[in-house]
C-alpha cells in the first residue's frame, strides 16, 4: 500500500526445521528406565533384569543397543520415526511390542524369532503385506489399523494364527469400503476370521453374528477350506521333514541317510539312462538296496552312541553342580560366621565434642581386644580361599574327564562313519563297474544291428527322404531314430503312438506306425458320412480351448522326451561318449561320497568339541561368582572390626 517492498519473510515463508533424530544410547536408556522404574535399575549391570522399557515419543529412527535387556517382556517404541523392525530379535522373553505410529513399510522374517510374542501393535504405519505374520504363531492380539493394506483377502492369511483372539483392521484401504459397503467388509472378515477371533475392531463378535456371516459367504468358505486343506497337508509334511532332518542331524546321520538321494540328484544323466537303458534301473535299485539298510544300521548305532554319551554328560554336569553347591554353602557359612563375630563386638561411641582444655579427644578402644577377632576373620578367609581352590580343582578334574570322554566319543563316531562310507564307496564302485559293462553291451548290440550294405553316404546325403543306415538300424532294433520315430514297439519306455503324436503336433500326419490309431476324420468327412457337423458355439469354443491346452501340455512333454531320446541315441551310437558319461557319473558319486564323509566328520568334531568349550566357559563364569566377592567381604569386615 505504501509502495514499499514487503519483507523477505512474507515472500518466502521459512521452512520449519525438522527435529534431529535421536539414537538409543546409554543416556536415553537410563532416562527411560528412571522415568518408568525410578532408581531401581540405575546401574547398567541391572538392566538385564528390567521387565519393561518405554521409549515412546523420542524421535528414534533405528532400534539398537538393546542387547543388555535379555529379560525384557514389554517394549514400547510408539510415536517415533522407526522405518524398519530391527535390533529386537534377540529379546526372547518379549511378550508385548508396540511399534504404532512409525514409518514401517514391511514385516521382516526375523520377527518369527520372538517365539513368546503375544501382543503386537503396528497401528498407523505404512505396511502393505502381512503374510510374514503367519510365522508368529503365538500372537493373541494384533493391531494393523491405519496401514496401507489394499486387498481384503490379504487378511485371510491370519487364519493360520491359531491363538489370535483380537484384530484391528480398520483404517486400511481394503476396509474402507471402496467397492463394497462397510457391512459387507465387516461380514467378510467376520465370516473368514470369526471362528478364532473374539474381538474385531474393538467390538465383540457374537456367535450368532458369525454364523450369519458364514452363511452369506458359504461358497467362498468351502473353496477356501479345500485350498487350506491342501496347504495344511503340505505344511505338516514340510514340518515333519524338518523335524526328521533335525533329529538326524543331532545324531550326525543326516548326510548318510540322504546319501542315495544325493547320488541320484547330483547325476541327472543317470536318471536318463535308468529310464531308457534296459537293466540300468535294476542296477540303481540294487545300489539303493545296498545303501539304505546300511544307512539305517548306522543311524541306530549313532543314536545309541549319542544317547549313551548324553547320559554320561548329564551325570557329569550334575556332579559338577553338586561340587559347586557344596563349596558355595561352605563359603557362605564362613561369611556368615565372620559377620556374627563382628556383630558381637560392641564399640563405644567416639566423642564428637571438643575437650574443655582444647585438646582433641583420643579415640576410645572397643571393649575387649580386637586381636582375637581379626585373627579369627583371617582364619575364616583362608578357609574360604581353600574351599574355592578345592572347588576349582574338582571342576577342572571333572572337565578334563569330560574332555577325554568327548575325544573317545568322537573317535567312536568317526569309526562308525568310516565303516559306512567305506561300504558306500565299495557299493558305488561295484555299481559303476556293472553300469559300464551294461553300457558296453548296449552299445555293442546297437553297433551289431548296423547293416554293412545299403545306400552310400553320398546317396543319403543327396536324398534326404531316404532313411540313413543309422536310422534303419535303430528302427529295426527299437531304438529312437534321428527324427524321433521308433522302430519295434516292444522296447520298454518307447511307444509308436508317441511318434505318431509328435508327427501330428508338428503339423503332419506322418507315416503309418504299427499300433497307432488312424487320424480322426474332419468335420467335412463326418458330414459326408452322414454325421452331424453343426455343434453349438459354446461347445466349439470349449473344445477348442481344451484342445489348445492339451496340445500345449503334449508339446512340452514331447519336447522334453525327444530331447532325452536324442541324447540317448547319441550315446549309444558313440561308444566313447557313452563311456565318458559313465565315467562322469562315477566321478560325481565318488566325490559326493568323500564330501559327505568329510562333512559328517567335521560336524562330529565341531559339535562335540563345542560342548567342552561351553562347559569350560560355564565353569569360568561360575567360578567368578562362587566366592560372592569373598575377598572384599572379609576386607570390609576386618576394617570394621579394627574401627
Amino acid at each position: 500500500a505504501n509502495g514499499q517492498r514487503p519483507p523477505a519473510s512474507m515472500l518466502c515463508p521459512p521452512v520449519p526445521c525438522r527435529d534431529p533424530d535421536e539414537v538409543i544410547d546409554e543416556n536415553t536408556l537410563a532416562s527411560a528406565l528412571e522415568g518408568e522404574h525410578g532408581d531401581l535399575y540405575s546401574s547398567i549391570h541391572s538392566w538385564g533384569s528390567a521387565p519393561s522399557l518405554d521409549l515412546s515419543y523420542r524421535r528414534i529412527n533405528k532400534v539398537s543397543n538393546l542387547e543388555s535387556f535379555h529379560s525384557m517382556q514389554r517394549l514400547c517404541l510408539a510415536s517415533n520415526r522407526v522405518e524398519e523392525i530391527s535390533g529386537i530379535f534377540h529379546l526372547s522373553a518379549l511378550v508385548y511390542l508396540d511399534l504404532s505410529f512409525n514409518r514401517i513399510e514391511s514385516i521382516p522374517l526375523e520377527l518369527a524369532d520372538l517365539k513368546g510374542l503375544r501382543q503386537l501393535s503396528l497401528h498407523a504405519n505404512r505396511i502393505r503385506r502381512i503374510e510374514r505374520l503367519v510365522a508368529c504363531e503365538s500372537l493373541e492380539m494384533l493391531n494393523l489399523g491405519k496401514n496401507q493394506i489394499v486387498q481384503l483377502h490379504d487378511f485371510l492369511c491370519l487364519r493360520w494364527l491359531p491363538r489370535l483372539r483380537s484384530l484391528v483392521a480398520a483404517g486400511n484401504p481394503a476396509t474402507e469400503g471402496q467397492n463394497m459397503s462397510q457391512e459387507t467388509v465387516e461380514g467378510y472378515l467376520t465370516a473368514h476370521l470369526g471362528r478364532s477371533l473374539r474381538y474385531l475392531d474393538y467390538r465383540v463378535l457374537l456367535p450368532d453374528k458369525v454364523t450369519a456371516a458364514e452363511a452369506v459367504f458359504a461358497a467362498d468358505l468351502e473353496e477356501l477350506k479345500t485350498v487350506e486343506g491342501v496347504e495344511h497337508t503340505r505344511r505338516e509334511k514340510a514340518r515333519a521333514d524338518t523335524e526328521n532332518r533335525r533329529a538326524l542331524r543331532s545324531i550326525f546321520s543326516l548326510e548318510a541317510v540322504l546319501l542315495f538321494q544325493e547320488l541320484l540328484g547330483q547325476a541327472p544323466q543317470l536318471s536318463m539312462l535308468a529310464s531308457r537303458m534296459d537293466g540300468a534301473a535294476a542296477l540303481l535299485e540294487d545300489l539303493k538296496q545296498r545303501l539304505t539298510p546300511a544307512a539305517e544300521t548306522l543311524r541306530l548305532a549313532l543314536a545309541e552312541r549319542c544317547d549313551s554319551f548324553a547320559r554320561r554328560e548329564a551325570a557329569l554336569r550334575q556332579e559338577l553342580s553338586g561340587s559347586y553347591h557344596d563349596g558355595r554353602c561352605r563359603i557362605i557359612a564362613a561369611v556368615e560366621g565372620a559377620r556374627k563375630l563382628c556383630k558381637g563386638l560392641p564399640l563405644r561411641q567416639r566423642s564428637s565434642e571438643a575437650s574443655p582444655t582444647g585438646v582433641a579427644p583420643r579415640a576410645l578402644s572397643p571393649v575387649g581386644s580386637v586381636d582375637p577377632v581379626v585373627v579369627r576373620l583371617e582364619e575364616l578367609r583362608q578357609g574360604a580361599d581353600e574351599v574355592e581352590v578345592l572347588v576349582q580343582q574338582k571342576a577342572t578334574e571333572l572337565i578334563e574327564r569330560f574332555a577325554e570322554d568327548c575325544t573317545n566319543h568322537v573317535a567312536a563316531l568317526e569309526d562308525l562313519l568310516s565303516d559306512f562310507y567305506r561300504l558306500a564307496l565299495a557299493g558305488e564302485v561295484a555299481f559303476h563297474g556293472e553300469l559300464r559293462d551294461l553300457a558296453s553291451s548296449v552299445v555293442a548290440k546297437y553297433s551289431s544291428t548296423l547293416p554293412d550294405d545299403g545306400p552310400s553316404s553320398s546317396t543319403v546325403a543327396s536324398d534326404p527322404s531316404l532313411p540313413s543306415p543309422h536310422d534303419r538300424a535303430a528302427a529295426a532294433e527299437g531304438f529312437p531314430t534321428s527324427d524321433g520315430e521308433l522302430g519295434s514297439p516292444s522296447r520298454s519306455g518307447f511307444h509308436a503312438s508317441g511318434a505318431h503324436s509328435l508327427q501330428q503336433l508338428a503339423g503332419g500326419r506322418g507315416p503309418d506306425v504299427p499300433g497307432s490309431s488312424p487320424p480322426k476324420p474332419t468335420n467335412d468327412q463326418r458330414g459326408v458320412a452322414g454325421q452331424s457337423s453343426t455343434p453349438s458355439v459354446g461347445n466349439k469354443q470349449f473344445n477348442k480351448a481344451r484342445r489348445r491346452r492339451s496340445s500345449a501340455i503334449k508339446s512340452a512333454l514331447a519336447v522334453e522326451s525327444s530331447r532325452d531320446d536324442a541324447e540317448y541315441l547319441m550315446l549309444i551310437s558313440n561308444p566313447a561318449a557313452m563311456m565318458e558319461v559313465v565315467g562322469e557319473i562315477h566321478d560325481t558319486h565318488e566325490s559326493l561320497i568323500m564330501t559327505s564323509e568329510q562333512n559328517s566328520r567335521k560336524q562330529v568334531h565341531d559339535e562335540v568339541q563345542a560342548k567342552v568349550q561351553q562347559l569350560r566357559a560355564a565353569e569360568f563364569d561360575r567360578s567368578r561368582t562362587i566366592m560372592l566377592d569373598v575377598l572384599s567381604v572379609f576386607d570390609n569386615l576386618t576394617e570394621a572390626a579394627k574401627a
Side-chain angles (χ1 to χ4, degrees):
N2 301 334
Q4 297 179 356
R5 182 178 179 83
S9 60
M10 294 180 61
L11 296 177
C12 299
V15 178
C17 59
R18 182 175 179 267
D19 294 334
D21 294 335
E22 184 176 340
V23 297
I24 303 179
D25 53 13
E26 292 185 5
N27 295 330
T28 304
L29 295 173
S31 174
L33 289 172
E34 183 179 1
E36 187 176 1
H37 303 285
D39 297 333
L40 186 59
Y41 302 103
S42 58
S43 173
I44 190 174
H45 301 290
S46 62
W47 289 359
S49 57
S52 61
L53 180 64
D54 188 353
L55 293 172
S56 57
Y57 298 97
R58 292 182 179 271
R59 303 189 302 274
I60 297 170
N61 67 342
K62 184 177 181 181
V63 183
S64 60
N65 297 327
L66 297 180
E67 289 77 10
S68 302
F69 296 86
H70 49 78
S71 299
M72 184 167 55
Q73 298 181 358
R74 297 176 62 89
L75 175 61
C76 181
L77 288 162
S79 300
N80 282 289
R81 301 170 180 173
V82 179
E83 297 180 353
E84 64 177 7
I85 304 176
S86 62
I88 61 173
F89 306 125
H90 63 284
L91 304 175
S92 58
L94 199 62
V95 175
Y96 173 88
L97 177 60
D98 188 356
L99 288 166
S100 57
F101 297 97
N102 279 282
R103 304 171 182 176
I104 300 170
E105 297 183 356
S106 62
I107 299 173
L109 291 172
E110 293 81 2
L111 194 63
D113 295 340
L114 303 178
K115 301 295 184 182
L117 186 62
R118 297 201 297 266
Q119 302 180 32
L120 175 62
S121 177
L122 295 170
H123 186 84
N125 278 277
R126 304 172 182 175
I127 298 173
R128 295 178 178 270
R129 307 293 298 274
I130 60 174
E131 63 272 7
R132 290 180 176 177
L133 288 174
V134 175
C136 304
E137 297 182 353
S138 299
L139 279 180
E140 298 177 0
M141 300 177 63
L142 178 61
N143 191 334
L144 294 172
K146 292 188 178 181
N147 276 277
Q148 298 180 8
I149 303 173
V150 179
Q151 300 296 332
L152 193 60
H153 61 76
D154 288 345
F155 289 98
L156 298 186
C157 66
L158 302 179
R159 290 170 59 92
W160 293 99
L161 298 178
R163 302 181 182 179
L164 189 63
R165 296 295 179 266
S166 176
L167 172 65
V168 177
N172 286 278
T175 60
E176 289 301 320
Q178 297 177 354
N179 299 321
M180 58 184 72
S181 64
Q182 193 65 31
E183 292 78 6
T184 305
V185 172
E186 183 179 351
Y188 182 89
L189 294 177
T190 302
H192 291 80
L193 302 174
R195 285 298 175 182
S196 61
L197 291 180
R198 294 179 182 174
Y199 304 92
L200 177 62
D201 292 334
Y202 308 108
R203 293 191 297 270
V204 179
L205 290 180
L206 299 177
D208 296 342
K209 189 174 183 179
V210 174
T211 303
E214 288 178 345
V216 175
F217 295 92
D220 292 344
L221 288 175
E222 287 297 327
E223 182 179 357
L224 183 61
K225 289 178 181 179
T226 302
V227 175
E228 286 181 345
V230 176
E231 179 66 14
H232 178 73
T233 303
R234 187 194 66 81
R235 291 191 179 194
E236 289 297 325
K237 183 178 179 181
R239 183 176 301 179
D241 184 64
T242 302
E243 292 296 330
N244 183 42
R245 284 175 173 267
R246 185 181 294 112
L248 292 175
R249 182 173 178 79
S250 65
I251 58 174
F252 315 107
S253 59
L254 180 61
E255 298 276 350
V257 172
L258 300 181
L259 181 60
F260 178 77
Q261 299 179 13
E262 293 294 328
L263 292 178
L264 189 61
Q266 294 296 328
Q269 290 179 323
L270 179 59
S271 301
M272 183 268 295
L273 293 180
S275 62
R276 283 163 173 77
M277 183 187 296
D278 289 339
L283 294 181
L284 197 60
E285 182 65 23
D286 183 61
L287 177 63
K288 180 180 179 181
Q289 294 300 326
R290 294 179 186 177
L291 295 182
T292 303
E296 180 64 17
T297 302
L298 174 67
R299 185 189 68 81
L300 295 176
L302 291 175
E304 182 180 0
R305 174 70 63 176
C306 291
D307 186 60
S308 175
F309 177 76
R311 289 196 299 269
R312 294 199 306 272
E313 180 184 359
L316 185 139
R317 289 181 181 273
Q318 185 176 2
E319 186 178 358
L320 189 61
S321 298
S323 175
Y324 278 124
H325 179 72
D326 181 63
R328 185 185 183 91
C329 291
R330 294 172 61 183
I331 291 175
I332 291 176
V335 172
E336 292 299 325
R339 287 175 176 170
K340 290 180 180 179
L341 185 62
C342 291
K343 286 182 179 179
L345 186 64
L347 298 177
R348 294 178 180 176
Q349 296 295 330
R350 181 177 301 187
S351 175
S352 59
E353 300 179 356
S355 174
T357 59
V359 181
R362 296 176 54 191
L364 300 179
S365 300
V367 178
S369 175
V370 300
D371 292 339
V373 176
V374 174
V375 171
R376 180 57 181 162
L377 285 174
E378 186 63 26
E379 292 177 355
L380 292 174
R381 174 176 175 172
Q382 292 179 358
D385 290 340
E386 292 176 358
V387 171
E388 182 189 20
V389 171
L390 291 176
V391 170
Q392 290 181 349
Q393 290 179 351
K394 181 66 174 178
T396 302
E397 178 185 350
L398 292 176
I399 291 177
E400 292 302 325
R401 192 176 71 188
F402 179 70
E404 184 178 356
D405 287 347
C406 287
T407 302
N408 297 333
H409 181 56
V410 169
L413 295 180
E414 288 183 341
D415 290 342
L416 292 174
L417 291 172
S418 297
D419 293 341
F420 169 76
Y421 284 107
R422 191 182 303 112
L423 178 64
L425 190 59
E428 199 285 326
V429 170
F431 168 77
H432 170 254
E434 295 172 352
L435 182 63
R436 182 181 55 197
D437 295 341
L438 178 62
S440 300
S441 64
V442 170
V443 171
K445 181 180 179 181
Y446 174 76
S447 300
S448 65
T449 59
L450 294 177
D452 295 334
D453 55 353
S456 62
S457 59
S458 60
T459 305
V460 174
S462 61
D463 189 0
S465 63
L466 294 177
S468 64
H470 179 285
D471 289 347
R472 291 206 310 275
E477 183 59 24
F479 294 105
T481 60
S482 59
D483 60 355
E485 296 184 11
L486 301 172
S488 173
S490 61
R491 180 165 180 82
S492 62
F494 298 100
H495 304 282
S497 59
H500 183 72
S501 300
L502 290 177
Q503 291 290 339
Q504 287 183 332
L505 290 173
R509 176 182 175 185
D512 294 334
V513 182
S516 64
S517 59
K520 295 181 180 180
T522 63
N523 288 336
D524 296 338
Q525 292 171 341
R526 286 197 298 266
V528 171
Q531 299 178 357
S532 174
S533 60
T534 58
S536 64
V537 177
N539 289 338
K540 291 175 67 175
Q541 293 178 349
F542 174 77
N543 293 334
K544 185 176 180 180
R546 184 175 59 182
R547 286 195 300 269
R548 187 184 302 112
R549 184 167 57 251
S550 176
S551 177
I553 296 174
K554 290 182 179 180
S555 298
L557 295 176
V559 168
E560 186 67 25
S561 178
S562 61
R563 184 183 299 114
D564 291 343
D565 291 344
E567 183 179 2
Y568 179 68
L569 178 62
M570 182 194 69
L571 291 179
I572 62 175
S573 62
N574 190 341
M578 175 65 80
M579 292 301 105
E580 182 179 357
V581 168
V582 174
E584 289 177 357
I585 293 174
H586 171 67
D587 294 341
T588 301
H589 285 184
E590 186 177 24
S591 175
L592 185 60
I593 291 174
M594 296 177 63
T595 302
S596 179
E597 182 178 8
Q598 292 175 359
N599 293 339
S600 299
R601 287 176 174 271
K602 186 176 184 302
Q603 182 194 356
V604 167
H605 185 270
D606 292 347
E607 294 191 11
V608 175
Q609 292 301 322
K611 293 179 179 292
V612 180
Q613 299 299 329
Q614 292 172 1
L615 196 60
R616 291 185 189 276
E619 187 273 337
F620 175 75
D621 293 338
R622 194 178 296 187
S623 64
R624 289 190 305 173
T625 59
I626 190 65
M627 290 296 292
L628 298 174
D629 296 327
V630 171
L631 298 180
S632 61
V633 170
F634 278 103
D635 288 341
N636 294 335
L637 292 175
T638 303
E639 292 296 329
K642 291 181 179 180

